[in-house]
Amino acid sequence: MKFLGECDTSMKQAESEAHGLAPSQGDMSAEDFERFGHAVIDWINRYFANIEGRPVLAQIQPGELRAQLPTAPPAQGEAMEAILADVDRLIMPALTHWNHPSFFAYFATSTSAPGIFGELLSAAFDTKAMLWRTSPASTELEEVALDWLRQMMGLPAEFQGIIYDTASVSSMHAIAAARESLDLRIREDGMSGRADLPLLRVYASDQSHSSIEKALITLGMGQRSLRAIPSDAEFRMDAGVLARAIEEDRRNNILPCCVVATVGTTSTTSIDPVPAIADICERERIWLHVDAAYAGSAAIVPEMRHILDGCERADSFVTNPHKWLLTPFDLSALYCRRMDILRRAFTLVPEYLRTPEAETVRNGSDYGIQLGRRFRALKLWMILRYFGHEGLAARIREHCRLARLFASWVEASDDWELLAPVPFSLVCFRAVTSQREGETKAARNTHLDTLNEAIMHNLNASGAAFLSHTRLNNALSLRLAIGNIRTTESHIAHVWQLLNEQKSLLTSSATML
Ligand code: PLP
């Protein structure tokens, strides 16, 4: 695939004019911008059309790309044509293709055409939405687009939204707001060297995402602030244990700060019992944050709205349109019913940022650690308009159907087993073999771990598909996550066939795994 293909006759005609080189001052000429702009869009179009011919997982060794790149920067500008040719030659082989329809690892995601246009325009505008006046469009469109998304998910109007880059950062801000709500003067006096401060506690299930623990590290609360609440057989937080943990902590002068419930955990997409957790938080007056980074998007499907039952009682709630809402990375939406507290935690306005309209508008920099903020709302607004609520819901519904279909093949086979329920578009499963004579349970588990790891490794190394794994009840589980806009039934049928081939190969008498 070449950036400047056959249509590039003007290039050939004017070879000696060094087209594509930067002028001595200013930016690229308008003519070159148009020419290379069209070439890049054409190239992206062909990239999507031919993506299935590429290996999903980059087939290179660590350091291989670096070794092909000059160690020093170019003193003189280089021709755009040469730069784009190197994207083909050097960058492409080093890419893992997240937009490949057979990308099933982690949480599969997708960009989409309106999202790409949104990113392109946002790069052209290059706004820094720190204050309303530095980008009224960004500030107001963010409020509108997030309110549309809130309505689509069926969350109450008291929730106001704000965009951050990732769920990790959204949750960090939510926990900072929870801490601020305790009125401990931490903003002013910090936490270190304070004998008057008890240990603050944050509760989350043992299935919660590592970003919660990282937030505690970042906020100076420390890993010991986290109390992991055990989950039940279906990987959901045990609300009874949570209630008892809070009681015990209070008896020991530990101050509960926040409970994090997860809707759609990372390993299995389990759903914590949010209504029961909300009861506890209300009774105990503890901030409830819901991490629905992946699964929140599913609530836009009317028959799946119930997954957010209880979330209307949360203090804050995060979902990531960059996971399952066709939005190019990055865009995470934090909803908060107590925006004043989030603001109180972070606002700090030096003289040079004072504006007369500050009392009547939202200034984005008041709500987080960043000053400048990207115009992310533009791509979300364009996506919501282009696909519409029903169009987006139809795609999520189809991903869930494909996951259920794949799970039904696993269930019907003696060679495989499901390791967790399938409430969304993720299937946790593993290959199984019949117990060998005299084999202990532990030895069988080790044997199955080795087998499944080998199946995953071989499949990923082939480039035909990309799966990832987790550990469930101390067993290695393969994870097949469906979330790409181009994934169809034929792709999951193909990966099923490849998995079965690998299993037969590895358990045949020749290899005897
Ligand atoms: N929360 C959950 C439940 C997740 O599954 C993930 C990532 O997969 C995250 C948070 C972190 O997401 P991000 O990469 O946006 O920080």
Side-chain angles (χ1 to χ4, degrees):
M1 201 154 82
K2 295 278 174 280
F3 262 100
L4 298 169
E6 301 117 43
C7 59
D8 184 33
T9 46
S10 62
M11 190 77 194
K12 284 177 190 137
Q13 281 162 16
E15 254 163 1
S16 60
E17 290 171 27
H19 268 286
L21 277 172
S24 57
Q25 294 290 336
D27 200 358
M28 183 182 285
S29 71
E31 295 75 30
D32 274 3
F33 185 82
E34 186 171 344
R35 188 157 60 91
F36 290 114
H38 285 177
V40 169
I41 294 286
D42 287 349
W43 186 93
I44 294 173
N45 226 2
R46 291 198 303 278
Y47 170 65
F48 286 140
N50 301 318
I51 196 165
E52 293 191 48
R54 298 185 177 279
V56 191
L57 184 64
Q59 309 281 297
I60 66 160
Q61 295 305 314
E64 212 174 304
L65 172 62
R66 212 171 38 239
Q68 295 181 73
L69 297 169
T71 50
Q76 266 85 48
E78 297 181 54
M80 200 65 213
E81 190 190 24
I83 301 168
L84 292 177
D86 279 352
V87 172
D88 263 333
R89 191 172 63 89
L90 301 172
I91 307 300
M92 285 302 282
L95 279 174
T96 289
H97 295 281
W98 282 72
N99 280 304
H100 197 296
S102 295
F103 185 109
F104 299 117
Y106 314 112
F107 280 125
T109 60
S110 256
T111 189
S112 60
I116 293 171
F117 291 146
E119 283 285 16
L120 198 59
L121 290 170
S122 149
F125 301 145
D126 195 28
T127 57
K128 285 88 187 166
M130 50 212 197
L131 303 169
W132 174 86
R133 66 165 51 186
T134 60
S135 185
S138 176
T139 305
E140 296 191 11
L141 200 64
E142 181 165 327
E143 288 171 345
V144 170
L146 289 189
D147 197 61
W148 287 0
L149 180 58
R150 175 194 65 73
Q151 293 175 47
M152 288 162 65
M153 292 186 294
L155 288 173
E158 298 90 82
F159 277 116
Q160 285 176 18
I162 178 140
I163 294 177
Y164 298 109
D165 52 1
T166 57
S168 305
V169 170
S170 291
S171 289
M172 194 271 291
H173 282 88
I175 295 171
R179 185 175 66 175
E180 179 64 23
S181 74
L182 296 174
D183 289 327
L184 296 171
R185 290 189 55 83
I186 288 175
R187 181 196 150 103
E188 297 80 5
D189 300 336
M191 298 183 81
S192 64
R194 285 184 62 179
D196 64 320
L197 214 56
L199 179 70
L200 304 188
R201 189 71 94 194
V202 171
Y203 307 84
S205 96
D206 56 12
Q207 299 294 309
S208 70
H209 191 263
S210 54
S211 56
I212 304 306
E213 194 167 339
K214 270 203 181 178
L216 301 183
I217 298 170
T218 310
L219 292 168
M221 294 164 75
Q223 286 170 289
R224 97 188 154 111
S225 282
L226 181 66
R227 186 156 177 172
I229 305 297
S231 47
D232 65 13
E234 295 195 358
F235 310 101
R236 302 167 299 197
M237 185 195 286
D238 185 328
V241 178
L242 171 69
R244 289 195 293 281
I246 293 169
E247 256 175 56
E248 185 187 69
D249 278 350
R250 286 207 195 277
R251 274 200 309 277
N252 293 322
N253 285 327
I254 293 171
L255 185 60
C257 170
C258 179
V259 176
V260 181
T262 312
V263 174
T265 55
T266 313
S267 276
T268 67
T269 69
S270 60
I271 305 171
D272 284 343
V274 180
I277 295 170
D279 285 346
I280 296 168
C281 288
E282 249 165 47
R283 194 174 66 229
E284 299 281 346
R285 296 180 177 278
I286 304 174
W287 185 288
L288 172 58
H289 174 59
V290 175
D291 177 358
Y294 154 75
S297 299
I300 73 163
V301 181
E303 64 273 21
M304 295 180 80
R305 168 59 187 79
H306 62 88
I307 61 155
L308 295 189
D309 282 354
C311 293
E312 69 283 353
R313 296 160 66 194
D315 296 286
S316 54
F317 172 96
V318 61
T319 190
N320 275 358
H322 72 221
K323 278 197 163 52
W324 206 3
L325 218 56
L326 314 183
T327 306
F329 194 77
D330 49 19
L331 197 162
S332 175
L334 179 73
Y335 290 91
C336 189
R337 63 165 69 244
R338 301 164 77 182
M339 271 299 190
D340 55 322
I341 294 181
L342 183 62
R343 186 173 189 280
R344 212 171 73 196
F346 287 101
T347 183
L348 189 69
V349 187
E351 184 53 39
Y352 46 82
L353 294 176
R354 287 197 190 286
T355 59
E357 67 273 8
E359 295 306 312
T360 52
V361 295
R362 182 198 274 190
N363 289 326
S365 55
D366 282 339
Y367 296 87
I369 54 169
Q370 289 184 244
L371 177 62
R373 310 174 70 249
R374 265 161 41 73
F375 194 175
R376 295 189 182 89
L378 186 60
K379 59 185 170 182
L380 181 60
W381 178 70
M382 291 172 75
I383 288 164
L384 297 180
R385 289 189 65 182
Y386 179 74
F387 292 106
H389 185 165
E390 286 174 14
L392 290 166
R395 285 160 178 81
I396 288 175
R397 192 182 284 120
E398 174 64 1
H399 290 160
C400 294
R401 184 189 75 81
L402 293 178
R404 281 195 303 274
L405 182 65
F406 185 89
S408 73
W409 298 337
V410 172
E411 272 185 309
S413 165
D414 290 337
D415 288 336
W416 303 86
E417 69 178 4
L418 285 181
L419 292 179
V422 183
F424 299 107
S425 68
L426 171 77
V427 186
C428 291
F429 65 106
R430 69 172 175 176
V432 285
T433 52
S434 46
Q435 193 139 4
R436 296 169 187 178
E437 241 186 67
E439 193 180 37
T440 62
K441 208 172 156 211
R444 179 161 186 268
N445 263 338
T446 310
H447 161 66
L448 290 183
D449 282 1
T450 311
L451 170 65
N452 281 282
E453 210 166 336
I455 291 173
M456 179 174 69
H457 174 80
N458 290 356
L459 186 62
N460 292 346
S462 78
F466 183 24
L467 267 69
S468 61
H469 75 284
T470 188
R471 285 202 88 74
L472 299 175
N473 298 320
N474 209 23
L476 188 131
S477 168
L478 303 180
R479 290 171 77 265
L480 180 106
I482 299 167
N484 191 274
I485 196 167
R486 292 180 175 78
T487 303
T488 63
E489 200 168 315
S490 69
H491 297 105
I492 60 157
H494 186 52
V495 74
W496 178 237
Q497 181 200 330
L498 296 173
L499 283 162
N500 278 289
E501 281 170 15
Q502 277 302 327
K503 200 222 158 191
S504 309
L505 203 68
L506 288 162
T507 51
S508 71
S509 51
T511 41
M512 278 302 285
L513 245 184

